[in-house]
Amino acid sequence: FLGAGGGNDIQWCFSQVKGAVDDDVAEADIISTVEFNHSGELLATGDKGGRVVIFQQEQENKTQSHSRGEYNVYSTFQSHEPEFDYLKSLEIEEKINKIRWLPQKNAAQFLLSTNDKTIKLWKISERDKRPEGYNLKEEDGRYRDPTTVTTLRVPVFRPMDLMVEASPRRIFANAHTYHINSISINSDYETYLSADDLRINLWHLEITDRSFNIVDIKPANMEELTEVITAAEFHPNSCSTFVYSSSKGTIRLCDMRASALCDRHSKLFEEPEDPSNRSFFSEIISSISDVKFSHSGRYMMTRDYLSVKIWDLNMENRPVETYQVHEYLRSKLCSLYENDCIFDKFECCWNGSDRQVDIVMTGSYNNFFRMFDRNTKRDITLEASRENNKPRTVLKPRKVCASGKRKKDEISVDSLDFNKKILHTAWHPKENIIAVATTNNLYIFQDKMN
Amino acid sequence: MAAPLGTGAFTEETGQEKQDTQEKEGGIPPERAEEAKLKGGGPNLGQKPGGSDFLMKRLQKGRGGFDSGDYNMAKAKMKNKQLPSAGPDKNLGGGDHIPTPQDLPQRGGSLVTSKLAG
């Protein structure tokens, strides 16, 4: 998988990069979420400033078979604004924590976006014609003097330049005391869940004034709090099943048919810990930052600080595979604790529905990102950098030298830039196109065709 | 049974580490070595990593914050002193500095279009 080609190995090439070039990053520009829609035609990003930018893939030009369509800006809007909770004297950040697309039902596109407290359903629709020929109004909107109207005409629709409009259709507010970390749309396409540190709520997409609490792990006495919910997701096929992960590295699978309040799990996934390896950092680095079901729903993937684990839903006592993302950081945990990097929340994703490959991807530091091929058991490290800017040139694999003599082209652990973190990545649902977010830039890579 | 971390039972754990050295190359397992660095340098940690204080801090993550009690106490103190010059102060609402509107972080600055769309 070292970019050498052959067989089904994917050769990744730079395609596009979006965002400012300068190093001085405004906080609002920090990308906080990236998500393809179900067809892959649209790619949404959310940022710390509460803004959503949606890119649309160009229709493929039949004569240009050497690359797939480029992504260009389709729509951009302010999803969330900063708010102030007067009761608690706390600011509510406008940062978009997650975006999830609804499957397309009609001409318009819908997505859910959430900050720490409020989820919003946005409708993105196209307008490419407008009515002209009113009797009482001029084309510029001014009212005509009625006494000058001597004939009547029927207004007609005429084509206009495409306008893409985003409007908030539902606001799901006031249901979360703690900070929302996840939203997940159910396979019934009618309901969705939202999860905060201690509770998970079930919503109906049409109803904003009511929400069912389905998980509540808040202890009666807060002094007894030992773990928090870190992520949650609905099963892709079973509409009564969902999972949630915790800061202690466990995943609980719940079935909503069992009871209204799913405080008792149906399955508990936990890898036994080696007690001789336990340290102050063990619990912190075992905290799961992301959980994602495989497309089939048979497996799920979790990301903790140092690794990616694949779990078979039929086996609770250990993962079936574990991939080390950056094991060389285990001997740097003290510094990473002091500079807070140990709390960074990396996401992970599966490749799209291409059955020929079974690959998982996640980010790391120094703008590196990693892919693990479950079939070949090989892995690769690539870098999102403007220096690799030539389209159709295969990206060069990177290697980190953990200790000892550094080979040429390797980078030593101490030279890694821990401010350059790739927390968010997304894989096109059907093609080998990936979107990788650095702090404030969005990179799009494609596999080399022919 | 190992005593909870950070309560002075460190010697018990060092004993265990010595057992481990036979298995691990180069001595102490990396995580334990990192833990030793943390305890050696910094102030007393005192709390279980998974303990409620640690998680409570996580639950209350939030910018700014204004405590009217703090504000009035500080105002009373300031009565006979000169107000300090209002420079940017990240620690709003706490301590002696009374926040003024100029101190508050710029909000709504993101009404500018995202540079991703540029």
Side-chain angles (χ1 to χ4, degrees):
Chain A
F1 199 36
L2 299 172
N8 287 329
D9 285 353
I10 301 176
Q11 297 182 287
W12 292 104
C13 304
F14 170 84
S15 174
Q16 297 169 269
V17 60
K18 310 277 184 195
V21 183
D22 55 86
D23 282 336
D24 194 18
V25 183
E27 240 190 85
D29 291 326
I30 295 173
I31 299 172
S32 49
T33 185
V34 182
E35 189 83 354
F36 280 100
N37 77 335
H38 291 254
S39 66
E41 186 204 352
L42 299 178
L43 174 59
T45 60
D47 66 22
K48 215 166 178 216
R51 299 166 299 192
V52 170
V53 181
I54 301 175
F55 302 93
Q56 181 187 42
Q57 192 177 26
E58 256 172 19
Q59 289 313 300
E60 263 178 63
N61 189 334
K62 299 297 177 202
T63 60
Q64 277 191 309
S65 59
H66 57 255
S67 69
R68 297 179 184 86
E70 279 202 341
Y71 282 84
N72 301 315
V73 179
Y74 178 66
S75 171
T76 174
F77 55 93
Q78 187 78 36
S79 171
H80 287 71
E81 300 268 5
E83 288 175 65
F84 195 78
D85 180 337
Y86 297 99
L87 199 60
K88 296 184 187 150
S89 290
L90 282 177
E91 282 195 20
I92 299 169
E93 266 195 307
E94 65 274 33
K95 172 167 75 84
I96 308 296
N97 293 334
K98 285 284 178 339
I99 288 173
R100 290 287 182 264
W101 289 93
L102 265 70
Q104 191 171 12
K105 284 197 282 195
N106 53 39
Q109 299 276 358
F110 289 85
L111 61 78
L112 285 176
S113 70
T114 186
N115 69 348
D116 282 341
K117 297 288 186 181
T118 304
I119 306 124
K120 295 187 183 181
L121 176 69
W122 286 89
K123 176 180 180 182
I124 295 113
S125 48
E126 293 184 359
R127 189 195 292 264
D128 61 359
K129 38 187 175 303
R130 64 159 176 252
E132 286 178 19
Y134 284 106
N135 291 291
L136 297 176
K137 276 200 279 188
E138 303 286 4
E139 293 312 328
D140 62 8
R142 281 179 303 142
Y143 280 97
R144 289 172 70 187
D145 177 354
T147 58
T148 63
V149 177
T150 53
T151 60
L152 287 179
R153 56 187 174 172
V154 178
V156 291
F157 277 101
R158 296 227 182 274
M160 62 179 254
D161 285 342
L162 179 67
M163 212 165 73
V164 182
E165 303 168 317
S167 61
R169 306 304 287 179
R170 306 268 186 278
I171 312 253
F172 304 92
N174 303 319
H176 286 278
T177 307
Y178 302 99
H179 295 119
I180 298 173
N181 51 57
S182 312
I183 45 176
S184 177
I185 298 169
N186 203 348
S187 50
D188 66 9
Y189 299 147
E190 284 188 348
T191 58
Y192 74 94
L193 63 76
S194 57
D196 67 33
D197 289 318
L198 297 180
R199 299 191 175 104
I200 302 179
N201 293 330
L202 179 72
W203 302 84
H204 190 285
L205 285 163
E206 301 288 327
I207 299 169
T208 57
D209 63 354
R210 256 177 305 161
S211 163
F212 289 100
N213 176 239
I214 53 177
V215 172
D216 187 339
I217 65 168
K218 184 177 178 189
N221 181 359
M222 281 299 264
E223 302 271 299
E224 292 159 25
L225 181 69
T226 54
E227 67 185 320
V228 295
I229 297 168
T230 51
E233 192 174 67
F234 264 119
H235 190 276
N237 306 319
S238 168
C239 59
S240 41
T241 307
F242 65 93
V243 293
Y244 67 93
S245 58
S246 84
S247 52
K248 276 184 152 177
T250 64
I251 308 102
R252 286 172 176 79
L253 182 142
C254 302
D255 189 328
M256 297 193 291
R257 295 166 297 189
S259 70
L261 188 60
C262 300
D263 275 0
R264 280 179 23 205
H265 54 262
S266 300
K267 294 197 185 212
L268 172 64
F269 297 85
E270 187 173 14
E271 182 166 28
E273 198 186 11
D274 180 359
S276 66
N277 275 338
R278 185 160 180 85
S279 75
F280 171 79
F281 303 111
S282 299
E283 193 174 303
I284 302 174
I285 62 172
S286 72
S287 177
I288 292 172
S289 47
D290 196 13
V291 63
K292 293 266 173 46
F293 276 105
S294 67
H295 301 296
S296 64
R298 163 82 190 266
Y299 298 97
M300 65 180 173
M301 163 167 56
T302 57
R303 176 67 155 100
D304 51 71
Y305 190 61
L306 297 178
S307 66
V308 162
K309 294 179 179 171
I310 311 288
W311 303 79
D312 183 329
L313 255 53
N314 297 322
M315 188 163 74
E316 297 169 62
N317 59 2
R318 61 180 165 81
V320 290
E321 287 144 44
T322 300
Y323 299 102
Q324 300 301 336
V325 181
H326 36 217
E327 178 68 12
Y328 46 78
L329 296 184
R330 197 178 290 271
S331 54
K332 303 286 172 196
L333 293 177
C334 180
S335 335
L336 293 167
Y337 178 85
E338 281 167 353
N339 63 18
D340 276 352
C341 284
I342 206 174
F343 302 107
D344 285 336
K345 297 185 173 65
F346 292 94
E347 292 173 6
C348 53
C349 64
W350 296 84
N351 72 291
S353 52
D354 177 1
R355 293 289 169 85
Q356 298 208 320
V357 292
D358 196 353
I359 303 175
V360 298
M361 168 167 66
T362 189
S364 178
Y365 294 105
N366 210 66
N367 284 348
F368 287 172
F369 58 102
R370 303 262 287 137
M371 293 192 193
F372 302 94
D373 188 322
R374 295 182 65 208
N375 293 334
T376 64
K377 299 298 184 237
R378 291 191 291 193
D379 60 85
I380 191 168
T381 304
L382 298 172
E383 182 179 1
S385 144
R386 284 172 187 271
E387 284 166 22
N388 309 331
N389 257 356
K390 301 201 195 83
R392 295 196 297 286
T393 306
V394 179
L395 293 181
K396 194 173 122 174
R398 298 287 177 222
K399 188 128 170 50
V400 176
C401 169
S403 59
K405 196 159 161 46
R406 184 180 73 86
K407 296 198 189 83
K408 177 179 181 289
D409 286 351
E410 283 185 357
I411 179 164
S412 82
V413 184
D414 297 310
S415 313
L416 294 174
D417 188 340
F418 290 95
N419 289 319
K420 292 189 172 161
K421 28 195 123 183
I422 290 177
L423 304 175
H424 312 287
T425 60
W427 202 306
H428 189 289
K430 299 181 170 38
E431 296 168 24
N432 287 329
I433 301 175
I434 54 176
V436 174
T438 59
T439 305
N440 64 332
N441 282 183
L442 182 71
Y443 287 79
I444 298 172
F445 301 102
Q446 305 183 356
D447 80 10
K448 188 184 178 98
M449 291 173 84
N450 67 263
Chain B
M1 178 85 139
L5 298 171
T7 56
F10 192 55
T11 40
E12 256 180 78
E13 285 152 41
T14 335
Q16 219 175 347
E17 281 170 39
K18 286 196 180 127
Q19 275 176 19
D20 287 341
T21 46
Q22 267 113 35
E23 287 118 34
K24 311 272 181 198
E25 240 170 75
I28 302 165
E31 266 183 61
R32 292 294 188 80
E34 292 299 297
E35 182 175 358
K37 271 191 225 169
L38 192 62
K39 287 182 202 252
N44 179 23
L45 292 163
Q47 290 138 10
K48 261 183 68 164
S52 61
D53 284 357
F54 176 71
L55 289 175
M56 288 299 285
K57 191 176 134 184
R58 182 192 169 132
L59 294 183
Q60 280 157 27
K61 153 192 89 135
R63 284 202 310 232
F66 174 76
D67 187 313
S68 61
D70 279 351
Y71 179 81
N72 286 309
M73 297 270 282
K75 227 165 104 168
K77 262 198 221 169
M78 285 301 160
K79 247 181 172 181
N80 299 324
K81 286 192 215 171
Q82 251 184 338
L83 271 177
S85 60
D89 183 355
K90 295 274 152 63
N91 186 21
L92 296 172
D96 288 343
H97 181 82
I98 301 169
T100 64
Q102 292 92 316
D103 292 347
L104 293 174
Q106 277 301 314
R107 280 163 58 184
S110 57
L111 293 177
V112 172
T113 310
S114 163
K115 296 197 180 104
L116 291 183

